[in-house]
Amino acid sequence: MLRKRNPSRTSPRWPARALAGSLLLSACGGAPQDKPAAAMSPPVILISIDTLRSDRLPQYNHRTGPADLVTPAIERLAHDGLLFEHAFAEVPLTLPSHTSILTGDLPPVHGVRDNIGFAVDSQRTPLLQQRLRDRGYATGAAVSAEVLAKRTGIAAGFDLFDEPSPAANGGAAARTAERAGAEAVRGAIGFLAGAGSRPFFLFLHLYEPHAPYRPPEPFRSRYRDPYDGEIATADALVADLLAELDRRGLYNRSLIVLLSDHGEGLGDHGEDEHGLLLYREALQVPLIVKLPGAVRAGERVQRDVGLIDVVPTVLEVLGLPAEKALPGISLLAKGEAAPPADRAIYSETMYPLIHFGWSDLASIVSGNLHLIDGLRPEVFDFVQDPGERQERSNDERRALAAMRRELAGIDRTLAPPAPADAETVAALGALGYLGTQAPSDRSQLDDPRDKIAGVAPVLRGLRLYNEGDYRAAIDVLLGVTGKDTARVIGKGSGTGGGTGGGTPDAAGESSALAWQYLGASYDALGKKAEALAAYKHGMSLAGSSSYLAETAALRLLELGRPQAAADLVVQELTRHPDSGRLRVLQSRALLQLGRISEAARVADEAVAKDSGMADAFYQRAVVSISRKDGLAAIDDLVIATRLDAKHIEARKALAMLRHAQGDDPEARRLLGEVLAIDPADKDARADLGSLDATRPRP
């Protein structure tokens, strides 16, 4: 047996079997039994504060957490609810972790193993919101980042899904990587206003304190560490939502779950952020459950739990059956129904395998012990050694063997990720998630725990880039790219001495990333030639992706070098022959060269390769317009607008053609859609003004 820990100090207030029915009655004021289940059910509110490691909160750790950090909203929920002292995420990445939270399944079961290249299959594993909507609940969500966008499939089952809008003046493919949590809270409150008297499920996702850490005032000045400032920001936003629940008389009778999807490295084991490693700081998260009527208020539960336990808990409180067996256990389980103290909590990360070609890692928490298994096992007693500095596999051989048997019983086969488009890579790259693809030859794997020191300077440069400090990012990345920099870009192109201290690795994955973000930093400063040189060099390195080639081709087109862009794309198509997006760029280059027939042929190929890509139809329409074939262009533009509800350029082109047909009302409607997407679009506003000026007066 593995080591046991003392169970929760607090005894149950009523039998577990009676809990669900009692909660329903208390939430609904003793509603009669003949009412439909939904009418008797309390509101359910799930609040996810992204990237919040539990030991930074005063409710969890007064010894190592910041002494001055104050989180009154989280404190209120802890006072009124159950606080789980040892809760663990199944994966330290936003999309797969939230998929586990909302399905109640482990990542190998629901199949979402990374933020890029995977989508939620709600037919395969139903989501909580689908279960509740089927039982009469109104369902709404307000999310704060591109990583949980509707395109990921996470929105299935929500009546309302409020997500970030495209970046202003960014063109058809522009995306806002994240938005201020206050906007998401406004979306959540708007859903409350529209829910009426129906029971509802509300999911609020706040991206504070995810990197880059940029807390607003007054928290920016109040806290020395910007990570703590963003925690305080998130707490204030939670307070705003709780105040609205108070105003509507909903707080007391609601089931409220507050959690985080994963923690943050903060440099503890060489990782500043998250995704690569599975140490406690990345996996242990806050989890608080406030039951209707504040039942079991103030309890602190010490047993190990996982985020997959949220769905079984909600279903138990509502008295609803699960459609299938789930691996999680209700957080309210007591007595005989409670799990053993040595219950195994599974976690994984495929991020190092998918993006670097390093080994994946898996983790088991059982009792006080934490196994991290990759190319070698590490065991820690995270209670006695919360910093996980003293490796104990030699002292815990029996426990190690038991935990490895648990891992062996999980089928961790990885389905290949789908190729990601350049816009997705760019949007998620702005959040710190790498978009490179791992080398195809994985016969010689490295352990990410051994490689983290080498890649850390690259990730530091990426973080500076995302924080908008492009000159500092260049300085750090020049220290990684090494002696090749002057030859590739030119001696005068840097902004500093290259003092980042990284180890040049011209053949390795980290170097490809360094050149990618070196190019992006030059791009942000308007140095297109230097950016192009960095992108083109990065293309030649191991671990590079088609994104680098796509971006380099775009820069060549912007610099008025369509032949060079066409040549580059042809070269890249030998590596990615099925890429529709590369063909779109090739068609653009050929069109600029005046080779219209070839441009049309390649645009047709792009549509054939990817019939779900709006840009392919848009590019074919542009070619048709150049051939003065307006009817064919209209057909493709209609498809493009249907495929992408926020494709600005397709809507503007279609408005122009509708006006040429004399259908000004439709042109006005399309331009109105453009301005709803991007109110700052000057061309659309001017065109709409021209149409209004020529409108016949009554």
Side-chain angles (χ1 to χ4, degrees):
M1 284 293 290
L2 305 181
R3 182 177 310 168
K4 295 181 182 290
R5 184 162 57 235
N6 291 333
S8 172
R9 296 191 302 266
T10 308
S11 60
R13 295 190 176 185
W14 42 38
R17 291 183 181 274
L19 179 63
S22 299
L23 290 178
L24 289 175
L25 290 173
S26 67
C28 301
Q33 292 297 316
D34 59 352
K35 289 234 179 152
M40 297 172 56
S41 299
V44 180
I45 299 153
L46 173 62
I47 303 170
S48 175
I49 302 176
D50 210 295
T51 323
L52 175 55
R53 51 186 279 180
S54 59
D55 65 356
R56 298 294 280 210
L57 291 175
Q59 293 78 21
Y60 279 83
N61 198 331
H62 292 282
R63 292 177 297 170
T64 60
D68 59 345
L69 181 58
V70 179
T71 53
I74 296 174
E75 178 63 35
R76 178 185 180 185
L77 289 172
H79 179 272
D80 293 342
L82 296 87
L83 181 146
F84 293 85
E85 295 187 347
H86 300 108
F88 296 89
E90 282 70 34
V91 56
L93 292 166
T94 297
L95 178 60
S97 182
H98 280 96
T99 307
S100 286
I101 293 166
L102 290 170
T103 63
D105 269 319
L106 295 172
V109 177
H110 60 62
V112 180
R113 316 299 283 277
D114 190 68
N115 287 333
I116 300 177
F118 296 87
V120 181
D121 183 349
S122 58
Q123 299 298 316
R124 175 181 181 179
T125 50
L127 296 149
L128 177 60
Q129 62 268 21
Q130 293 174 294
R131 292 179 166 107
L132 297 186
R133 188 171 71 174
D134 288 346
R135 287 165 173 80
Y137 268 69
T139 56
V143 303
S144 298
E146 166 70 17
V147 72
L148 291 183
K150 186 180 294 185
R151 61 171 180 78
T152 66
I154 201 76
F158 282 115
D159 300 320
L160 171 72
F161 193 81
D162 189 276
E163 61 179 328
S165 299
N169 300 316
R175 295 178 183 167
T176 300
E178 64 173 308
R179 62 174 175 175
E183 295 181 32
V185 171
R186 283 195 290 272
I189 291 175
F191 167 74
L192 293 179
S197 59
R198 294 174 63 192
F200 63 83
F201 170 54
L202 169 63
F203 168 46
L204 172 64
H205 168 250
L206 302 174
Y207 216 53
E208 298 89 353
H210 193 287
Y213 317 127
R214 295 176 292 212
E217 295 294 356
F219 306 109
R220 182 192 301 271
S221 301
R222 187 175 299 169
Y223 295 101
R224 179 179 303 176
D225 188 332
Y227 180 75
D228 296 333
E230 290 223 341
I231 293 173
T233 303
D235 184 81
L237 295 168
V238 173
D240 290 342
L241 179 62
L242 299 186
E244 182 66 17
L245 295 175
D246 286 331
R247 191 181 73 81
R248 295 179 176 274
L250 295 171
Y251 176 82
N252 185 61
R253 63 189 187 91
S254 293
L255 167 62
I256 304 175
V257 179
L258 181 138
L259 50 76
S260 182
D261 57 341
H262 54 75
E264 189 78 312
L266 300 180
D268 284 2
H269 287 89
E271 183 177 28
D272 291 335
E273 296 177 22
H274 56 272
L276 283 170
L277 304 181
L278 290 181
Y279 293 102
R280 184 193 59 81
E281 60 266 14
L283 294 181
Q284 192 169 349
V285 294
L287 176 59
I288 299 170
V289 177
K290 199 242 20 125
L291 295 169
V295 173
R296 295 173 63 175
E299 286 193 28
R300 298 181 70 92
V301 181
Q302 295 179 1
R303 63 180 171 90
D304 300 330
V305 300
L307 296 182
I308 57 170
D309 297 334
V310 170
V311 167
T313 304
V314 173
L315 296 180
E316 178 179 343
V317 171
L318 301 185
L320 299 176
E323 288 80 0
K324 67 169 190 170
L326 293 171
I329 299 172
S330 171
L331 296 164
L332 309 179
K334 289 283 190 175
E336 294 181 359
D342 59 352
R343 173 196 180 195
I345 306 295
Y346 170 81
S347 303
E348 68 170 35
T349 180
M350 295 290 176
Y351 190 71
L353 177 62
I354 292 170
H355 296 278
F356 289 90
W358 302 338
S359 75
D360 58 301
L361 296 176
S363 163
I364 291 287
V365 168
S366 183
N368 292 355
L369 298 180
H370 182 199
L371 163 67
I372 303 172
D373 208 16
L375 298 183
R376 66 179 186 278
E378 288 184 312
V379 176
F380 302 96
D381 184 330
F382 70 88
V383 173
Q384 298 300 319
D385 174 27
E388 295 188 327
R389 301 295 180 183
Q390 301 172 21
E391 205 282 311
R392 298 180 55 83
S393 57
N394 288 333
D395 301 322
E396 301 286 355
R397 294 182 182 179
R398 182 176 298 179
L400 170 60
M403 289 189 286
R404 297 192 92 176
R405 283 195 298 271
E406 290 280 357
L407 282 180
I410 298 173
D411 182 359
R412 295 164 53 214
T413 303
L414 176 67
D421 60 77
E423 286 77 22
T424 297
V425 171
L428 297 187
L431 304 177
Y433 296 114
L434 307 181
T436 56
Q437 297 297 312
S440 57
D441 181 11
R442 292 170 178 163
S443 58
Q444 299 294 325
L445 296 179
D446 292 303
D447 194 301
R449 292 168 290 186
D450 300 327
K451 301 285 285 183
I452 189 68
V455 77
V458 180
L459 300 179
R460 194 171 303 122
L462 170 57
R463 186 174 68 253
L464 288 166
Y465 168 80
N466 289 331
E467 291 172 353
D469 195 346
Y470 306 119
R471 297 183 184 279
I474 290 171
D475 191 49
V476 168
L477 293 169
L478 288 175
V480 180
T481 55
K483 60 184 179 182
D484 283 340
T485 309
R487 174 179 59 82
V488 173
I489 296 180
K491 294 181 180 180
S493 61
T495 63
T499 58
T503 302
D505 180 17
E509 308 87 356
S510 63
S511 185
L513 291 168
W515 286 99
Q516 176 180 336
Y517 282 95
L518 184 62
S521 298
Y522 281 126
D523 244 343
L525 293 175
K527 298 186 175 184
K528 301 297 181 184
E530 291 90 339
L532 173 63
Y535 290 136
K536 291 180 70 174
H537 186 71
M539 287 169 52
S540 67
L541 304 180
S544 66
S545 71
S546 63
Y547 169 71
L548 281 168
E550 292 170 26
T551 311
L554 284 169
R555 296 300 162 265
L556 286 166
L557 291 172
E558 290 172 0
L559 292 168
R561 298 171 59 189
Q563 185 61 59
D567 293 343
L568 184 149
V569 170
V570 168
Q571 175 188 341
E572 189 68 6
L573 279 168
T574 62
R575 291 202 308 139
H576 301 280
D578 294 327
S579 172
R581 192 161 297 280
L582 285 170
R583 284 176 170 79
V584 168
L585 291 168
Q586 185 183 19
S587 178
R588 286 183 58 182
L590 291 168
L591 191 60
Q592 284 191 23
L593 289 167
R595 293 154 61 178
I596 298 176
S597 296
E598 291 177 75
R601 175 183 57 79
V602 174
D604 286 338
E605 291 176 358
V607 170
K609 289 292 183 182
D610 191 348
S611 60
M613 181 172 59
D615 280 345
F617 289 94
Y618 172 71
Q619 176 59 27
R620 193 164 70 174
V622 171
V623 175
S624 295
I625 290 171
S626 71
R627 297 172 119 178
K628 303 187 186 309
D629 188 351
L631 293 178
I634 286 173
D635 290 341
D636 280 334
L637 290 171
V638 168
I639 295 172
T641 59
R642 288 174 180 169
L643 288 173
D644 186 346
K646 297 178 180 179
H647 201 301
I648 287 176
E649 298 304 324
R651 282 168 170 76
K652 290 198 289 189
L654 187 54
M656 175 190 72
L657 293 174
R658 292 302 191 198
H659 170 63
Q661 289 182 320
D663 191 351
D664 284 357
E666 177 64 7
R668 288 190 190 90
R669 186 189 68 79
L670 289 161
L671 292 171
E673 287 184 355
V674 171
L675 292 172
I677 298 167
D678 181 7
D681 193 304
K682 295 180 180 178
D683 292 337
R685 192 166 296 281
D687 289 344
L688 189 59
S690 297
L691 288 175
D692 288 340
T694 59
R695 180 187 298 187
R697 297 185 180 276

